[in-house]
């Protein structure tokens, strides 16, 4: 950082380089923020938690965002255009307790989802609306201010995930359903009759390209990852093949006039995670074969990134790795957070190097509704979300909790350094005492007169 500041002062480094260097430093300093809490309860339970926080009684602090497991999480990417001044000392200083409580709640009713919610996302062009999908076969559009459903699409089968293009004008929501075809719901016309056929089993994950508005990627339980161009009568562009590290180069080396590949699998088991990089040049897929693969989308080649045997993935629900936005890292570099069972893994995307393991603390068992028994839920990370414009990570878990992961502050780094220094001093003192004891024993032995007979 000092070299970056010096370069900025001398005019040899631009402000973008300084910004990226600081954001990268903060990214590698990310850690659990156990004092930033999310409590979805109301009334006496929330009041009791607040009293425990004020009194410093950590044992009395037990918070859950939901009574049941949290399946998905999404963060609004927009800010208001007005200028306001806020005091963020309490909310962003991880050395202090901060209790987040819900600003609004979708009340359970005949118009809300009847079964578990599988995926959430904000409308990419305006935060006044968000979309949700569920096992009840419904895709719903909600008004953020009113928290009421303004549109509902019945897709006739369980919806595992959905995707809305961040750049397109067509307003088509791609839905991964229990049916073998990708379903398209049109927010403009209200129709949901169009589908993309090509997979042979349930579709588990879908994602629109961030740079080509008509290109879509999907992953299926048949082990294939398929690409689509919704403008074409034959929508499929082909599948990705894990055994192909060269790709389909075509006449110009970039796939011109190349034939579509219709055989091959991206994973040896179900594909339940599909994510694009910000620049649209690579696609990341996750599968039940406990592998994460990176694909060069200029040729469709397997980039051969290897993340080792540490990856775990066995649930049918969609499991999406989180790619850190490009504004944090230098151009061409990406960091991936992977939601493992009891930890979040941080990897270099292209090298496959494990950069950090974020351990997840457990919560005490929660009482089952209507009984005195305890529900011993095996906690796992179900979803990750990034706060745009910051270096903040949030995770949802099957024990009903939401956790914050924030960069280590300067005060925390200084305190850790001091503790480390005290530990080193204590270790040196212990070694000094042992050395003095050995010296004393040696002197006693050398002073004794030894007689040989």
């Amino acid at each position: 950082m000092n070299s970056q500041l010096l370069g900025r002062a001398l005019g040899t480094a631009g402000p973008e380089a300084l910004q990226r260097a600081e954001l990268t430093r903060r990214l590698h300093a990310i850690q659990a923020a156990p004092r930033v809490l999310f409590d979805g309860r109301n009334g006496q339970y929330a009041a009791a938690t607040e009293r425990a926080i004020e009194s410093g009684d950590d044992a009395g602090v037990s918070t859950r965002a939901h009574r049941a497991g949290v399946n998905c999480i999404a963060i609004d990417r927009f800010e208001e255009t007005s200028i306001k001044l806020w005091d963020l000392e309490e909310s962003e200083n991880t050395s202090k307790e901060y209790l987040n409580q819900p600003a609004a709640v979708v009340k359970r009713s005949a118009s809300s989802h009847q079964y578990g919610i599988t995926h959430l996302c904000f409308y990419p062009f305006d935060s006044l609306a968000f979309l949700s999908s569920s096992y009840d076969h419904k895709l719903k559009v909600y008004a953020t201010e009113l928290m009421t459903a303004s549109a509902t699409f019945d897709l006739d089968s369980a919806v595992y995930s959905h995707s809305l293009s961040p750049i397109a004008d067509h307003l088509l929501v791609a839905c991964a359903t229990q049916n073998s075809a990708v379903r398209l719901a049109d927010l403009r016309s209200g129709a949901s009759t169009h589908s993309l056929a090509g997979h042979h089993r349930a579709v588990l994950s879908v994602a629109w390209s961030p740079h080509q508005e008509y290109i879509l990627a999907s992953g299926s339980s048949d082990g294939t990852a398929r690409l689509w161009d919704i403008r074409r009568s034959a929508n499929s562009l082909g599948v990705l093949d894990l055994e192909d590290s060269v790709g389909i180069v075509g006449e110009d080396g970039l796939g011109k006039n190349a034939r579509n590949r219709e055989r091959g699998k991206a994973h040896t088991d179900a594909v339940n995670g599909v994510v694009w990089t910000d620049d649209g040049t690579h696609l990341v897929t996750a599968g039940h074969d406990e592998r994460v693969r990176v694909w060069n989308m200029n040729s469709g080649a397997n980039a051969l990134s290897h993340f080792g045997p540490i990856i775990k993935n066995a649930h049918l629900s969609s499991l999406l790795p989180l790619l850190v936005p490009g504004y944090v890292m230098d151009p061409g570099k990406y960091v991936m957070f992977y939601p493992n069972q009891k930890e979040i893994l941080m990897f270099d995307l292209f090298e496959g190097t494990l950069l950090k393991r974020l351990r997840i603390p457990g919560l005490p068992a929660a009482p089952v509704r209507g009984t005195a028994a305890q529900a011993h839920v095996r906690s796992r990370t179900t979803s990750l979300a990034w706060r745009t414009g910051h270096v903040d990570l949030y995770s949802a878990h099957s024990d009903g909790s939401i956790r914050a992961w924030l960069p280590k502050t300067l005060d925390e780094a200084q305190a850790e350094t001091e503790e480390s220094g005290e530990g080193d001093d204590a270790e040196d003192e212990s070694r000094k005492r042992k050395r003095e004891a050995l010296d004393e024993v040696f002197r006693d032995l050398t002073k004794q007169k030894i007689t040989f007979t």
Side-chain angles (χ1 to χ4, degrees):
M1 179 53 65
N2 290 336
S3 62
Q4 295 288 343
L5 291 174
L6 178 60
R8 185 75 184 104
L10 297 176
T12 58
E16 296 83 4
L18 179 62
Q19 180 188 30
R20 280 201 176 95
E22 172 61 14
L23 291 175
T24 301
R25 183 197 67 79
R26 290 172 61 84
L27 173 65
H28 287 274
I30 205 165
Q31 62 177 4
R35 296 180 180 273
V36 179
L37 308 173
F38 294 84
D39 195 347
R41 301 171 297 180
N42 295 317
Q44 58 179 347
Y45 296 105
T49 300
E50 289 182 344
R51 288 195 297 270
I53 291 175
E54 292 174 357
S55 63
D57 180 16
D58 292 340
V61 178
S62 176
T63 63
R64 283 182 172 84
H66 294 262
R67 296 188 65 174
V70 183
N71 293 334
C72 47
I73 185 173
I75 296 178
D76 174 15
R77 58 181 292 184
F78 294 96
E79 303 290 342
E80 291 185 354
T81 56
S82 59
I83 298 176
K84 298 179 181 179
L85 184 64
W86 300 87
D87 184 359
L88 301 179
E89 288 293 327
E90 292 185 353
S91 61
E92 293 196 349
N93 187 352
T94 56
S95 63
K96 298 180 180 179
E97 295 278 7
Y98 186 78
L99 182 65
N100 293 279
Q101 291 184 330
V105 177
V106 177
K107 296 181 179 179
R108 187 174 181 84
S109 65
S111 62
S112 64
H113 287 296
Q114 303 303 307
Y115 299 114
I117 295 173
T118 57
H119 194 195
L120 291 170
C121 76
F122 276 92
Y123 185 61
F125 309 110
D126 191 345
S127 61
L128 294 179
F130 66 91
L131 291 81
S132 65
S133 55
S134 169
Y135 291 115
D136 65 2
H137 304 182
K138 303 294 195 302
L139 171 74
K140 292 182 179 290
V141 182
Y142 281 91
T144 306
E145 292 183 345
L146 302 176
M147 299 301 284
T148 56
S150 56
T152 299
F153 297 86
D154 190 346
L155 302 179
D156 299 321
S157 59
V159 186
Y160 295 116
S161 69
H162 62 269
S163 177
L164 188 60
S165 174
I167 60 170
D169 295 329
H170 52 60
L171 297 184
L172 293 175
V173 184
C175 299
T177 70
Q178 197 171 13
N179 192 288
S180 60
V182 178
R183 299 291 301 276
L184 298 179
D186 192 340
L187 297 183
R188 185 172 283 122
S189 67
S192 58
T193 57
H194 191 48
S195 60
L196 307 175
H199 291 294
H200 301 292
R201 297 178 66 183
V203 183
L204 302 179
S205 183
V206 287
W208 289 99
S209 168
H211 279 262
Q212 300 183 65
E213 60 180 324
Y214 298 105
I215 302 301
L216 176 72
S218 62
S220 169
S221 56
D222 62 10
T224 61
R226 189 173 287 271
L227 298 172
W228 312 85
D229 185 342
I230 62 171
R231 298 168 299 182
R232 299 174 42 163
S233 57
N235 302 115
S236 177
L237 295 177
V239 298
L240 300 175
D241 186 0
L242 64 89
E243 297 181 355
D244 182 7
S245 60
V246 178
I248 302 176
V249 295
E251 297 175 358
D252 59 353
L254 297 176
K256 181 180 178 180
N257 295 330
R259 295 183 60 185
N260 294 347
R261 178 171 51 213
E262 290 297 330
R263 293 186 178 182
K265 289 190 175 184
H267 293 262
T268 58
D269 210 329
V271 181
N272 63 338
V274 176
V275 183
W276 293 83
T277 57
D278 275 355
D279 57 11
T281 59
H282 290 82
L283 185 73
V284 180
T285 60
H288 282 185
D289 56 2
E290 300 189 334
R291 295 288 185 272
V292 174
R293 292 194 169 89
V294 182
W295 307 87
N296 185 330
M297 297 315 295
N298 290 326
S299 61
N302 183 353
L304 301 180
S305 297
H306 183 61
F307 302 95
I310 195 173
I311 298 293
K312 302 299 178 185
N313 185 354
H315 292 268
L316 185 62
S317 58
S318 177
L319 187 69
L320 302 179
L322 187 144
L323 304 183
V324 175
Y327 67 82
V328 178
M329 307 292 294
D330 291 332
K333 293 185 178 181
Y334 279 95
V335 167
M336 178 186 73
F337 285 99
Y338 182 82
N340 233 24
Q341 288 184 350
K342 295 184 179 181
E343 59 186 355
I344 299 173
L345 306 176
M346 179 178 172
F347 290 100
D348 182 293
L349 181 63
F350 299 120
E351 298 295 331
T353 307
L354 180 63
L355 303 177
K356 183 177 286 189
R357 302 176 72 164
L358 302 174
R359 303 287 185 179
I360 300 171
L363 277 180
V368 179
R369 182 182 300 179
T371 69
Q374 299 291 313
H376 298 283
V377 181
R378 183 179 181 181
S379 179
R380 64 182 180 89
T381 307
T382 56
S383 182
L384 300 175
W386 186 266
R387 186 181 176 189
T388 303
H390 299 73
V391 188
D392 299 353
L393 175 69
Y394 295 85
S395 58
H397 304 269
S398 59
D399 61 6
S401 64
I402 295 175
R403 293 180 171 86
W405 308 84
L406 307 177
K408 184 185 303 180
T409 64
L410 294 177
D411 293 340
E412 291 173 337
Q414 184 177 359
E416 186 175 308
T417 302
E418 292 175 355
E419 292 177 0
S420 177
E422 292 175 358
D424 293 341
D425 293 341
E427 186 176 354
D428 292 341
E429 186 65 26
S430 176
R431 289 180 179 177
K432 183 178 179 181
R433 289 198 301 269
K434 290 180 180 180
R435 187 162 52 248
E436 290 177 350
L438 289 174
D439 290 343
E440 184 177 353
V441 171
F442 178 75
R443 286 195 299 269
D444 291 343
L445 289 175
T446 54
K447 287 179 181 178
Q448 292 181 4
K449 185 176 180 179
I450 302 176
T451 303
F452 295 95
T453 58

